Amino acid sequence: PPPHFFLMIGLPPISPLFPYTTLFRSHKKPVSKVTSESGGEEEIDLGLVGEIDCINTDLLEMFLKNSYIPVISPVGIADDGSSLNLNADTAAGEIASSVDAEKLIILTDVPGVLRDPNDPDSLIQRIKIDEVPDLIEEGVISGGMIPKIETCVKAIEDGVDRKSTRLNSSHT
């Protein structure tokens, strides 16, 4: 929601002032090797894309204790001081896990995980954690849905209530 939404309900939003705060300590995502169409190996460097090492929960708790709603940009800081882009879904899940959140809601602009992407009636209503690897391997969970689902799985494994961990769509 836009910041004025929080003001309308009486909760002041605040955005940790990057780069003056270090909410996410991160490292650069390593170069990966993939097999090219010709059968050779290619190296893929995603540039300034990072992975989260740790979260400054003290900073989050300070905001929350003072009745502020933190509005967070998923930007991490590497040991060398460089800024790294983080996956927003992954950042949300890591925050939920690190502050022992009781709920995690991931928003998406698609109906959810569809067994058949061309059939909106093939929406999978519930997915068990042990089904996720097979659904990824089969291509049922693919593209940008993979980090969303993996984030939900990790949050549940880290203690976020499985009944409160949801992937919500603007289509429902």
Side-chain angles (χ1 to χ4, degrees), residues 1 6 11 19 22 27 31 48 59 76 79 87 98 102 106-107 121-122 125 137 143 146 158 161 163:
F6 297 111
L11 296 171
T22 306
H27 65 273
V31 172
L48 295 175
L59 182 63
D79 287 340
N87 179 287
S98 70
E102 65 181 60
I106 300 289
L107 301 177
D121 292 332
S122 69
Q125 296 292 330
E137 190 171 317
I146 293 173
D158 288 346
D161 182 12
K163 293 179 182 172

Side-chain angles (χ1 to χ4, degrees), residues 140-158:
V140 174
I141 299 173
S142 62
M145 192 60 73
I146 293 173
K148 291 178 187 323
I149 298 298
E150 287 178 341
T151 292
C152 291
V153 168
K154 184 174 183 318
I156 291 167
E157 290 174 343
D158 288 346

